[in-house]
Amino acid sequence: MEFKREIPSRHEKFLKDIIAFLNSIGGKVILGIEDETCIVYGIGEQSPFKLSDAISTMISDACIPQIEPDITIKTIEDKTVLEIDVAPGKFRPYFIANKGKKLLHILE
């Protein structure tokens, strides 16, 4: 399980976490929780539906082979968070499209 307070401005770090889960036993990314402190911040005033669609599009556009993540809207401590469930990939290896298979060596 990986916690993210927000999606990093450099999406590549976020995508690397997704790819790592796809290429291993799977996992979950919870968006809206600080990783080091586990403080729940939520996603703020952002529409959870629009953010979920944006994340889904970003992941499916960037990952090869293409995947469609399972994103669920949850409430923790009266704050909205997104749970991105990443199942182990069926068509491994996965990689970031613009990085090619070179990125696989970094993830292993």
Side-chain angles (χ1 to χ4, degrees):
M1 185 170 294
E2 182 76 28
F3 297 114
K4 302 276 185 204
R5 181 169 177 179
E6 57 191 18
I7 294 178
S9 56
R10 286 188 40 218
H11 295 154
E12 190 173 297
K13 168 67 175 118
F14 174 75
L15 292 169
K16 284 180 182 179
D17 292 337
I18 300 295
I19 297 284
F21 285 142
L22 284 165
N23 285 327
S24 63
I25 61 170
K28 294 179 190 246
V29 177
I30 310 294
L31 186 63
I33 299 177
E34 180 74 45
D35 188 37
E36 294 170 7
T37 63
C38 293
I39 295 174
V40 179
Y41 288 94
I43 60 168
E45 299 299 316
Q46 300 177 76
S47 163
F49 302 104
K50 286 183 181 178
L51 184 57
S52 177
D53 285 345
I55 291 168
S56 185
T57 299
M58 175 180 46
I59 292 170
S60 67
D61 287 351
C63 296
I64 293 181
Q66 190 175 42
I67 66 148
E68 193 65 37
D70 183 20
I71 303 174
T72 307
I73 300 166
K74 303 234 175 184
T75 302
I76 300 175
E77 298 177 7
D78 294 325
K79 295 181 179 92
T80 302
V81 299
L82 295 182
E83 178 182 279
I84 305 159
D85 190 9
V86 183
K90 295 179 183 175
F91 304 105
R92 297 176 195 175
Y94 289 84
F95 54 94
I96 297 175
N98 66 357
K99 296 293 180 185
K101 293 189 178 184
K102 291 183 230 174
L103 181 61
L104 288 174
H105 300 296
I106 296 170
L107 297 173
E108 293 176 342

